[in-house]
Amino acid sequence: MYRYREIYSDIKRDILTNHYRAGSLLPTQEILTEKYEVSRLTLKKSLNLLIDEGLVYSKQGSGTYVRPRMDTQSTEMLPLDLPIGVTYSHRDQKITSRLLYFNARLPTELERKNLQILSNDPVYEIKRIRLINNQVYSFEHSVMPVSVAPINEKILSGSVYDYLGSYAKIQLTDARRVVYAEPASEETSQALEVDMNSPIFVIDQIAYDQKGRAFEYSTSRFVSNHNKFVLDVHLSKMD
């Protein structure tokens, strides 16, 4: 990966994890070039990616600021355009997990393609309920290559992304999401405590790390009338 993209991913992660807060001024270019040991030109390329993505904006003579996001104070908002998990989107709430299923197996053909692995590469299969303030929030079905990191039930009781970041230095920096609705199956209705065939909001996601490698393929299901989602749209500059 090019150095400027690594810096872009690092700053973006700091924004998404609230290290650089909305409305705050980023460190000066002098500080950032010294921190990353790069030229101003390389840093400028990184900042331009963040500007084009709508995460930061520049004020002439003042510096570069983290752009405030719509309804960032809402405890019900999940930003569809940002590759973050429940722990970060609801960072001020009590987040817990209830593990329903955990095992290792060989991947299906779809999982193999989405994770870019071989058919004999084992994967973890994880099913768990995420709760916010002891209320059911989502039903997650995740598949992850075993080679990514060793995982156990204790780890699955908390934030998997936090664990991957500290243990394997893996950061979720990009994601491909497909959003749709479906009626609740028997398994989903039991997990989310809703009636069979109730409308369910679904997000399929392939998660990528800072090196562009797919490390998780997941499907998250939400009760349609208990959750809200937001998508900010930004027009990138034309060359």
Side-chain angles (χ1 to χ4, degrees), residues 76-203:
E76 296 182 337
M77 286 291 189
L78 174 67
L80 292 177
D81 59 333
L82 298 182
I84 58 178
V86 175
T87 301
Y88 292 137
S89 63
H90 296 74
R91 62 177 62 87
D92 296 324
Q93 310 300 304
K94 178 185 176 184
I95 310 297
T96 54
S97 300
R98 187 186 304 158
L99 185 62
L100 301 180
Y101 179 83
F102 175 52
N103 209 338
R105 58 169 173 76
L106 293 178
T108 65
E109 183 63 16
L110 178 61
E111 293 163 354
R112 186 193 68 77
K113 289 181 178 179
N114 285 334
L115 292 171
Q116 302 169 25
I117 57 177
L118 300 177
S119 58
N120 61 348
D121 288 334
V123 296
Y124 294 118
E125 182 178 14
I126 306 159
K127 294 182 181 181
R128 59 181 186 164
I129 298 171
R130 304 306 301 277
L131 301 98
I132 297 179
N133 298 328
N134 299 318
Q135 298 296 313
V136 173
Y137 175 73
S138 65
F139 171 39
E140 295 180 351
H141 179 201
S142 304
V143 176
M144 184 179 299
V146 170
S147 60
V148 169
I151 293 177
N152 55 40
E153 293 188 6
K154 181 179 180 180
I155 292 167
L156 294 174
S157 66
S159 170
V160 175
Y161 292 164
D162 278 351
Y163 164 72
L164 292 178
S166 61
Y167 178 86
K169 308 304 179 186
I170 290 176
Q171 299 293 339
L172 171 60
T173 57
D174 295 284
R176 181 178 187 271
R177 286 175 169 168
V178 177
V179 180
Y180 57 96
E182 68 177 17
S185 65
E186 181 177 359
E187 181 182 39
T188 300
S189 66
Q190 291 178 358
L192 294 179
E193 301 175 1
V194 298
D195 294 335
M196 279 272 291
N197 297 316
S198 297
I200 298 298
F201 188 85
V202 187
I203 300 178

Side-chain angles (χ1 to χ4, degrees), residues 213-231:
R213 298 173 298 192
F215 69 89
E216 180 194 51
Y217 172 49
S218 65
T219 298
S220 297
R221 294 177 168 86
F222 307 82
V223 181
S224 61
N225 61 346
H226 288 181
N227 301 284
K228 296 180 181 178
F229 302 86
V230 60
L231 175 64

Side-chain angles (χ1 to χ4, degrees), residues 30-98:
E30 288 80 4
I31 292 175
L32 290 174
T33 53
E34 182 176 344
K35 174 183 177 180
Y36 293 110
E37 299 180 344
V38 294
S39 66
R40 280 193 176 232
L41 179 60
T42 299
L43 179 66
K44 186 65 175 176
K45 288 182 178 180
S46 306
L47 294 177
N48 283 341
L49 289 178
L50 294 167
I51 291 172
D52 288 346
E53 198 166 330
L55 291 174
V56 302
Y57 65 97
S58 294
K59 284 186 178 180
Q60 189 171 3
S62 179
T64 303
Y65 291 81
V66 179
R67 185 181 297 279
R69 304 194 65 78
M70 185 186 303
D71 292 320
T72 53
Q73 299 303 312
S74 172
T75 59
E76 296 182 337
M77 286 291 189
L78 174 67
L80 292 177
D81 59 333
L82 298 182
I84 58 178
V86 175
T87 301
Y88 292 137
S89 63
H90 296 74
R91 62 177 62 87
D92 296 324
Q93 310 300 304
K94 178 185 176 184
I95 310 297
T96 54
S97 300
R98 187 186 304 158

